[in-house]
Amino acid sequence: MKSTTVTSVPAPASDADMPATPAWPLKSLPRLYVSVPLGMGATVDLDSAQANYLGNVMRQGVGSQVLLFDGRHGEWVARIADVSKKQVTLVAEHPGRPQEAVPDLVLAFAPVKRSQTDWLVEKATELGIAALQPVFTQRTIVERVKLERLESIAIEAAEQCNRTSIPAILEPISLAAFLTMREPSRPLYFADENGGTAAAEAFTAGPATILTGPEGGFTDEERQAIRAAPNTVPISLGPRILRAETAALAAIAAWMSRVGDWR
């Protein structure tokens, strides 16, 4: 698993309530996601890929510090306690940043080609999404989604963008199943290529789901079913035709800036 390095940058004095955007490139301690629960004194044995990266690529040895996060207990400063040819053991020494409060935003999206879907998951993670729900539509061009691959991409993105949580990658379902199973009280912002309320005006505070379509868009039958679903709000993402993955990220950014944690 690849890692990056991070540092904290103080917020500008003129806007103390707004968290600062980290400078790039980031320079400080290596940062890794681990699946074991973190706490004071927790021992972590890295998997072979992480051990190779930390020991052979980053040239970190016994006594070096590393930042760890597990997606649940914030970020911890750990120290390398042992290094062997194929294994690196770390011990969590003290807490760093607390666990982030993630806005309750789910992106339901129609998977596109692999490279575009990978890019979408990476960028949606960077933007702060809480969960990603692949939805198969009549015009979806792929037949299956490799969840482990998407989870790995989300983890690497979280390592790089300083997140302390990992977005959930949910099991793919059909559009019909999605509309049947969704919580009806939860607003469904439907990015309809035929138009709707301007996104910046449509979003309201609180939990939400954004639904975006495949290459070629939704069929008329699907569009009617979505619009008929409870608490659906059709939205417009502007006058230009957007690629499927671009539309998804544009909708996330608009929601985050309007009612999410970018304010």
Side-chain angles (χ1 to χ4, degrees):
M1 187 68 64
K2 294 182 179 178
S3 134
T4 189
T5 55
V6 300
T7 188
S8 58
V9 178
S14 59
D15 193 3
D17 293 331
M18 172 63 75
T21 300
W24 191 263
L26 302 170
K27 294 181 180 179
S28 188
L29 302 180
R31 187 170 189 267
L32 294 171
Y33 168 80
V34 294
S35 58
V36 299
L38 292 174
M40 192 70 69
T43 300
V44 180
D45 292 322
L46 298 183
D47 62 38
S48 58
Q50 290 178 315
N52 177 69
Y53 182 81
L54 201 60
N56 298 325
V57 178
M58 297 296 291
R59 302 292 184 183
Q60 301 294 303
V62 173
S64 298
Q65 289 186 318
V66 181
L67 297 178
L68 302 177
F69 69 107
D70 62 4
R72 292 165 292 170
H73 303 103
E75 185 177 79
W76 285 76
V77 178
R79 194 174 298 275
I80 297 177
D82 183 62
V83 177
S84 62
K85 189 172 182 180
K86 295 184 178 180
Q87 183 170 306
V88 173
T89 300
L90 303 99
V91 176
E93 293 189 328
H94 60 83
R97 295 183 299 118
Q99 183 67 20
E100 66 183 289
V102 180
D104 188 359
L105 178 63
V106 175
L107 174 66
F109 69 100
V112 287
K113 295 177 182 178
R114 191 177 80 168
S115 60
Q116 286 94 328
T117 296
D118 291 353
W119 184 78
L120 187 158
V121 170
E122 177 184 85
K123 301 310 175 186
T125 300
E126 292 178 17
L127 293 174
I129 201 74
L132 294 126
Q133 172 68 74
V135 175
F136 288 110
T137 70
Q138 292 183 34
R139 291 175 177 162
T140 300
I141 61 174
V142 298
E143 296 181 354
R144 60 192 297 265
V145 173
K146 294 183 178 180
L147 292 184
E148 288 186 1
R149 176 183 176 83
L150 298 186
E151 289 169 352
S152 177
I153 291 169
I155 287 171
E156 289 192 12
E159 288 177 340
Q160 293 169 0
C161 73
N162 216 27
R163 289 193 65 170
T164 56
S165 67
I166 305 294
I169 311 293
L170 306 177
E171 288 285 344
I173 56 176
S174 68
L175 177 62
F178 169 76
L179 294 176
T180 299
M181 297 169 59
R182 61 174 286 264
E183 173 54 54
S185 64
R186 185 185 183 95
L188 176 63
Y189 294 105
F190 167 38
D192 189 349
E193 58 266 34
N194 283 2
T197 305
E201 300 174 3
F203 296 135
T204 56
T209 299
I210 292 173
L211 174 63
T212 59
E215 297 175 338
F218 293 99
T219 64
D220 290 340
E221 177 186 1
E222 290 173 328
R223 187 176 294 105
Q224 292 173 6
I226 297 167
R227 283 178 170 261
N231 215 4
T232 295
V233 182
I235 61 172
S236 169
L237 296 175
R240 287 164 291 280
I241 297 175
L242 303 178
R243 293 174 63 102
E245 65 274 20
T246 305
L249 298 177
I252 294 172
W255 189 91
M256 286 290 181
S257 62
R258 178 68 176 175
V259 297
D261 61 2
W262 292 12
R263 297 173 297 148

